[in-house]
Amino acid sequence: MYKINRQGNSITALKACSFSELEFRERAHLQEWIAKEPKVLGEELLIIQKEFSGFSDTNERLDLLAIDKQGSLVIIENKLDDAGRDVTWQALKYASYCASLSSENIRRIYQQFLSRSAPDCSPNLAEENLCEFLGVEDFQDLSLNKGVTQRIILVAARFRKEVTSTVLWLMNFKVRLQCFRATPYAQGDDLFLSIEQIIPTRDAEEFMISLASKAQDEVAGIEVQSARQADRRRFWNQLLASMNARSDLFRSISPQTQSWLSAGSGIRGVGFNFGATASYARVELYIDRGDKTENELIFQRLQDQRDSIEADFGNSMVWERLDTKRACRIKVERNDNVFNQDQWPSTIEYLVETMVSFEAALRGPLGKIRETIRSTS
């Protein structure tokens, strides 16, 4: 690694160091750096536990446990200056131990991790974070640690030949393994860290990503056929038939397998949504134009008219600024279960009647906001 000198149009080599000579330790330093900045491994990962030891009949501890964007568990093993001879076997053991963890096990493990750092945190924080990270509304729709999808990431300053040859051999059997080389550098009092993926190489990774994408498509195809998603598609199909008989709002919307259906309001980023999960049936106006300040301005303009809007609606609404998120929301909901087919007639009637009145009450105020946006753009 080199430092660029713009004035002299030259480069100066930084001194490559060992972690030990800089007095860095595996758990206190390298592990903490990755836990605080998992993107250093080249992707978005959600760290759900450190020093995890929840294995039956063993006191072994894995360094970091994470979830990737596909809901797969990622076992991260860190070594300092030398990976050692047994790191591959050690990581494979941990992956096998984790293979049996269910979605509920993972939620509980993550909640314990969060509670250690913030004892007063919400008992539902793990569930909320997992849903937000994976872009799912309902925790029951999450498919975590599905099948044999566990991944292994090894991080060290140096990998012995017996380790790299074993890793490459295992990859032939579709074991999902990556090796990252971590190198500290120094220049005077300034310290730098380089973490680069060495196995698979970047060129080979493109090929492996194509295989992984194919596998994910196949898994998605199977999931679409699952009973849960098939039930939800049938539910939305029936709801849309009832809704279209009353309003054109969702006329161009097709049934899907997600927990929500969305239709436009005439303002970009502001949509009317149906939500149906195992715990609620919801009608909402969701405001997310990509900018929190802009979202809150629209929300506030509507909230300033709350009394008249709720009078037109004929009932109260729940007004959520969602301070910890970018979006804002206005909603009406009741306890319900979309997977209880005996309740579908009642649920559909409730959602359709509520949406018709809800949209009518907000139509005028949204129209004025739309005119203001057009006049200022």
Side-chain angles (χ1 to χ4, degrees):
M1 182 180 290
Y2 294 83
K3 180 180 180 180
I4 299 174
N5 184 332
R6 288 181 179 271
Q7 293 180 339
N9 193 26
S10 61
I11 56 175
T12 303
L14 301 181
K15 178 188 176 185
C17 306
S18 68
F19 288 105
S20 55
E21 71 180 282
L22 295 173
E23 298 184 346
F24 287 131
R25 299 190 300 277
E26 178 187 317
R27 291 184 182 177
H29 298 107
L30 183 59
Q31 179 173 294
E32 287 300 311
W33 300 337
I34 296 173
K36 291 175 181 176
E37 193 63 35
K39 282 188 178 180
V40 74
L41 298 176
E43 62 181 295
E44 288 189 68
L45 295 172
L46 181 66
I47 303 297
I48 65 170
Q49 191 57 270
K50 291 190 294 188
E51 295 297 315
F52 180 56
S53 60
F55 307 128
S56 301
D57 304 321
T58 176
N59 293 322
E60 293 178 289
R61 294 171 178 265
L62 66 85
D63 293 338
L64 292 171
L65 186 61
I67 291 283
D68 68 13
K69 281 294 189 178
Q70 286 71 49
S72 298
L73 282 179
V74 184
I75 290 85
I76 304 171
E77 275 299 295
N78 309 303
K79 304 297 179 183
L80 285 180
D81 297 314
D82 190 329
R85 295 184 177 88
D86 300 325
V87 63
T88 313
W89 168 238
Q90 184 181 30
L92 287 171
K93 284 193 298 180
Y94 294 156
S96 70
Y97 296 157
C98 291
S100 63
L101 293 177
S102 66
S103 294
E104 176 56 27
N105 293 147
I106 292 168
R107 185 206 63 78
R108 177 177 50 79
I109 289 165
Y110 184 29
Q111 186 65 44
Q112 290 171 351
F113 173 64
L114 294 171
S115 297
R116 279 205 306 272
S117 56
D120 296 331
C121 71
S122 164
N124 297 319
L125 185 57
E127 184 174 316
E128 293 168 3
N129 286 357
L130 284 165
C131 287
E132 183 173 358
F133 179 73
L134 293 169
V136 175
E137 183 79 16
D138 188 351
F139 181 75
Q140 299 302 318
D141 287 335
L142 287 181
S143 181
L144 302 177
N145 199 28
K146 186 177 180 67
V148 188
T149 59
Q150 299 76 37
R151 297 172 50 197
I152 296 170
I153 292 178
L154 306 178
V155 183
R158 184 173 72 89
F159 290 92
R160 301 188 183 198
K161 186 175 293 185
E162 55 261 50
V163 173
T164 56
S165 62
T166 303
V167 167
L168 291 169
W169 182 79
L170 286 168
M171 289 171 60
N172 290 325
F173 296 90
K174 299 184 180 180
V175 177
R176 303 169 71 192
L177 259 164
Q178 293 166 282
C179 293
F180 287 81
R181 181 166 54 210
T183 309
Y185 292 87
Q187 185 180 58
D189 293 332
D190 293 328
L191 299 178
F192 306 88
L193 178 69
S194 169
I195 295 186
E196 58 177 327
Q197 182 175 327
I198 60 171
I199 298 177
T201 61
R202 288 298 180 185
D203 290 341
E205 188 176 27
E206 292 182 8
F207 174 69
M208 296 187 69
I209 287 174
S210 68
L211 290 179
S213 297
K214 179 176 180 291
Q216 290 300 319
D217 289 343
E218 291 172 351
V219 170
I222 294 171
E223 290 177 347
V224 168
Q225 301 303 318
S226 70
R228 186 181 181 89
Q229 293 189 335
D231 284 348
R232 185 173 274 143
R233 185 184 291 276
R234 286 197 298 271
F235 172 81
W236 289 130
N237 195 53
Q238 292 183 29
L239 179 138
L240 286 171
S242 296
M243 183 67 191
N244 292 340
R246 297 286 307 278
S247 166
D248 290 333
L249 183 61
F250 281 79
R251 182 74 61 181
S252 62
I253 306 302
S254 300
Q256 59 177 16
T257 60
Q258 302 299 319
S259 62
W260 49 270
L261 282 181
S262 183
S265 68
I267 301 175
R268 178 185 60 80
V270 180
F272 288 101
N273 294 345
F274 283 120
T277 72
S279 57
Y280 64 75
R282 175 187 296 169
V283 164
E284 68 179 15
L285 183 76
Y286 200 76
I287 306 168
D288 187 5
R289 289 170 58 82
D291 181 85
K292 184 169 180 58
T293 300
E294 193 174 351
N295 295 337
E296 290 183 347
L297 285 173
I298 293 175
F299 178 83
Q300 188 60 53
R301 285 196 61 182
L302 293 172
Q303 193 170 39
D304 289 343
Q305 306 171 68
R306 178 173 181 170
D307 290 344
S308 62
I309 290 173
E310 290 186 345
D312 290 341
F313 176 60
N315 210 331
S316 61
M317 300 175 178
V318 179
W319 299 72
E320 297 180 334
R321 190 177 297 272
L322 301 176
D323 292 330
T324 61
K325 297 184 178 181
R326 185 178 66 189
C328 299
R329 174 168 58 205
I330 305 168
K331 70 179 183 181
V332 179
E333 68 180 23
R334 75 176 190 184
N335 294 333
D336 215 317
N337 182 0
V338 72
F339 301 109
N340 184 342
Q341 295 190 33
D342 293 338
Q343 294 181 7
W344 281 9
S346 171
T347 303
I348 290 171
E349 181 181 9
Y350 167 76
L351 287 171
V352 169
E353 293 294 333
T354 303
M355 180 61 81
V356 169
S357 301
F358 187 81
E359 187 271 336
L362 287 163
R363 187 185 305 145
L366 286 173
K368 293 179 181 178
I369 293 172
R370 182 168 59 250
E371 291 174 5
T372 301
I373 293 173
R374 286 176 177 172
S375 65
T376 57
S377 61

